Every structure is written in C-alpha cells, then in structure tokens.
Amino acid sequence: MLIFLALLPAYFLSIFYRSFLSVIAGPVMTDLAIGPREFGLLGAAWFSTFAVSQFPIGWALDRLGPRRTVTATMTIGSAGAFLFANATGALTGTLAMALIGVGCAPIFMASLFLFARTAAPARFAFLTSVFIGLGSLGNLVGAAPLAIAAARYGWRPSMLAMAACFLVATALAGLLIRDPPRAESASGKAEGLVAGLASILKLRPLWLLAPITLTGYAILATARGLWVAPFMADVHGFDAVAAGNAATAMALTMVAGAFIYGGLEKWLGRVKPLVLWGTIGTAATFALLASFGASSAAMATLLFAVIGAAGFTYAILMAHARLFFPAHLLGRGMTAVNFLFISGAALAQSGSGWSIAGQRAAGLDAAATFAHLHWIFSALLLASAAVYAFTPERPKMD
C-alpha cells in the first residue's frame, strides 16, 4: 500500500526519536553537563512541541492535505535532528528535541487520516496496528543497536546518521503522499480551526476517554524512552550495552503487543475490553516491578517486557476514539486525541525527571527511587482504567 511506502520510514524515525534517549543517557548527560532533571526535559521537549503541534496539524490535514503538512514539518524536524547531533548544552539539546518533535508531529496522524479516508472503517484498527507494529521497529534501533553504535563510534556520529535518515524520509514522504478529496460537514460548510475544536469538545465520550489517553501511552513511553536503561544500570549495575539489551527486550514486546492487540481486535470485533484489561494488567505489572524489580535483574527485565506487550494499547485506543468523529472533523479529532497521548507523555517525562532528582537529593538510593516511580505509574493507570470503564463502546445511533 502506498501509504506504508510513503510514511512508514518517517514513522519508524518518529518512534526512534521518542525512545532513544534512555540508552545513551550517560554520555549525553556527561557531554551536555546536565542531570536527571534536565535530561527529563530533553524528552519532554520532544513530546511538548509534538503535542502542541497537533491542533494546527489537524486543521492542516483537513484543509491543506497530508502531503504539504508532512513535508513542511518534517523539514523542520530534519534541521532539529542535525542540531541535536551537534548540541553543546542543555539549551541547544532541548531546542533540537523540540524541533524534532515538530517534525514528527504529523506523521502518524497523516497515516491514520489516509487510512480513515481510503480504507473501510472495519479495517481501520487492523491497519493502524500493523502500521504501529512495523514502525515500532524504531524502538529496536533505539535500544541495543544504538547502544553498540554509540559505544563504538560515539553518540554524536550515531545521531548524525539518524539525522541523514530523517532527511531522506522527508523527501520520500513528499514524493509519494497522495492527498484524498476534502470532506465537508453535513451542512456543506468546512469548519475552521476554532469551530472544529469546539465541535470536538462537545463529544461527551471523549471526556471519559481523556484520562486513559493521557496516562496509558505516556507511562509506557516514559518507562521505555527514559528510565529502563538507567534503572538497569543504577539498580543492577548493567553497563551501557547490557542496559540497551534490556531496553531491546521491552521494545520487542511493544512491537509484538501492537500486532497482538490488532489481531485480537479483528477477531473479537471489540476494542474496549482489550484496552481496559490491558491497562489493568499493565498497572499490576508495574506494582510487581515496584515490589520485586530490585531483587533480580532477570525478573526486572521480564517485567519490563510484560509491560511493553500489555501496555501498548495506543493503536486500538485511537481506533476507539475514531468511532466518535464525523468525516469532516476526522483530522482534527484524531489529532486532538493524539494531543492527549503526547502531552501526557511530556508531563510524565518531565515529572518523572523531577521526581527522581528530588528523591536522589533527599538521599534515597536508586532502588527506592524507582520503586516509588513505578508505584505512581501503577496508581495512575488504575485510576484512568476506572474512568474508562464508563466510556460507551460505540456511538449511539440516532
């Protein structure tokens, strides 16, 4: 399918850039002379600009089409990728990550927009899960392979190579994306940015979806993207490559989880039970990690892997939200939901950095610090699942 050829390489890189920091945390913090608080802000900068960009991107997808939207923003992201490889401190590193976040912001949404406008509704969740599963291979490159490359060649040359890949993906997207015909409202009028957002906010089921959308992906992205490798290094004494291997195990199960959830949704024909029980299972596993993760490196690696598989409900949760949007608000609706996914991740990444820095300053050891973080993750997931339980499975028929 042309959509896969046009946007899968870009999405691969988007996944890489939201998860790579964990395995090069040590050399990046040393080179840029920063601590855990500033390191958390690096990841948060990507997620923050990604999240804020969702609103204009939703409007642009509906009104300008995906080709121009993706090409323009990915050009900005390419500049950020090269800047990060040459960053000299916290300011340039944070700015670079912010620019990369802008560049990555439309990629997944453009893909979903094209799936929704060109494929049968019954295939949306399956296509989305396959696309996420394949794109999530970027998680793998951002784990052990990056750790090995950084150890052998240095993190800056490794990131220069990824920046060149970003530039190539930008050109590929611009050449291959084809815009579908523009859709309008039932009145025959196209709603502007503010009017469209107002219409989306009137959709009551989205308010019940909001807590799990804010927390589910955010916590998974924070655990994998920032802290799995530092946890294995600080608590169990792993070196950079061994910690990268642990991150790879979690990345592999996230890829598997995307395909498994997509297959289960296709088989059951239902989304809500999968999201609900997957979230509860993830919360329970974080509780186990908090309780027993410091006792055994093998157990901790296994629990992170289970979290990766059980927690990756992103695609099917997006498919659930998609059911409530009219055709003319499809781009803005999906990007509004994605804003919650990504802004939640920005909050989780920056908040976790402040939490770890504060606990270390108070004299807590690494095991206790991470245990407290994992208990917080578990509680947030359980609370959001409790609200999600009241969400209708499908829109009411008029």
Side-chain angles (χ1 to χ4, degrees), residues 366-379:
T369 296
F370 281 109
H372 292 161
L373 184 66
H374 295 149
W375 278 120
I376 292 170
F377 286 168
S378 179

Side-chain angles (χ1 to χ4, degrees), residues 268-290:
L268 292 174
R270 300 180 66 191
V271 170
K272 183 179 173 181
L274 296 175
V275 174
L276 181 61
W277 289 108
T279 303
I280 292 171
T282 306
T285 311
F286 266 117
L288 291 174
L289 184 63

Side-chain angles (χ1 to χ4, degrees), residues 200-214:
I200 290 165
L201 291 174
K202 293 176 183 176
L203 299 173
R204 293 183 180 179
L206 297 184
W207 291 95
L208 294 172
L209 279 162
I212 201 167
T213 308
L214 274 169

Side-chain angles (χ1 to χ4, degrees), residues 299-367:
M299 180 179 292
T301 302
L302 175 62
L303 291 172
F304 275 119
V306 172
I307 287 167
F312 207 41
T313 59
Y314 184 22
I316 56 171
L317 185 54
M318 181 65 78
H320 192 186
R322 181 257 180 275
L323 296 174
F324 301 100
F325 300 127
H328 73 288
L329 292 175
L330 197 57
R332 277 163 285 187
M334 291 191 300
T335 50
V337 173
N338 207 41
F339 168 80
L340 296 178
F341 277 120
I342 302 303
S343 60
L347 292 171
Q349 298 221 343
S350 59
S352 63
W354 281 84
S355 173
I356 288 174
Q359 292 183 72
R360 288 183 178 177
L364 274 69
D365 63 16

Side-chain angles (χ1 to χ4, degrees), residues 78-88 91-93 95-97 99 156 163:
S78 296
F82 282 103
L83 178 61
F84 184 80
N86 294 283
T88 56
L91 180 60
T92 52
L95 174 61
M97 290 298 290
L99 294 175
R156 292 184 187 274

Side-chain angles (χ1 to χ4, degrees), residues 82-334:
F82 282 103
L83 178 61
F84 184 80
N86 294 283
T88 56
L91 180 60
T92 52
T94 303
L95 174 61
M97 290 298 290
L99 294 175
I100 298 169
V102 172
C104 294
I107 297 167
F108 183 52
M109 290 297 98
S111 308
L112 298 194
F113 181 85
L114 290 166
F115 289 150
R117 293 292 303 278
T118 61
R123 299 191 66 207
F124 181 83
F126 177 72
L127 288 171
T128 301
S129 295
V130 172
F131 189 83
I132 288 178
L134 294 173
S136 293
L137 294 172
N139 250 325
L140 300 181
V141 175
L146 177 61
I148 293 169
R152 182 170 297 180
Y153 305 111
W155 71 270
R156 292 184 187 274
S158 301
M159 296 312 299
L160 276 174
M162 298 308 297
C165 291
F166 202 107
L167 191 60
V168 171
T170 302
L172 190 64
L175 289 170
L176 296 181
I177 292 175
R178 297 292 180 267
D179 292 334
R182 186 185 302 175
E184 294 186 345
S185 67
S187 67
K189 297 179 180 179
E191 295 185 44
L193 177 59
V194 175
L197 289 174
S199 296
I200 290 165
L201 291 174
K202 293 176 183 176
L203 299 173
R204 293 183 180 179
L206 297 184
W207 291 95
L208 294 172
L209 279 162
I212 201 167
T213 308
L214 274 169
T215 57
Y217 176 73
I219 288 170
L220 189 68
T222 299
R224 164 62 189 90
L226 286 186
W227 302 119
V228 58
F231 174 89
M232 299 306 295
D234 295 348
V235 176
H236 293 292
F238 280 26
D239 62 20
V241 173
N245 288 333
T248 299
M250 187 175 183
L252 279 169
T253 58
M254 289 171 69
V255 174
F259 285 109
I260 290 168
Y261 276 123
L264 287 173
E265 188 278 335
K266 189 176 182 181
W267 177 54
L268 292 174
R270 300 180 66 191
V271 170
K272 183 179 173 181
L274 296 175
V275 174
L276 181 61
W277 289 108
T279 303
I280 292 171
T282 306
T285 311
F286 266 117
L288 291 174
L289 184 63
S291 301
F292 305 110
S295 63
S296 164
M299 180 179 292
T301 302
L302 175 62
L303 291 172
F304 275 119
V306 172
I307 287 167
F312 207 41
T313 59
Y314 184 22
I316 56 171
L317 185 54
M318 181 65 78
H320 192 186
R322 181 257 180 275
L323 296 174
F324 301 100
F325 300 127
H328 73 288
L329 292 175
L330 197 57
R332 277 163 285 187
M334 291 191 300

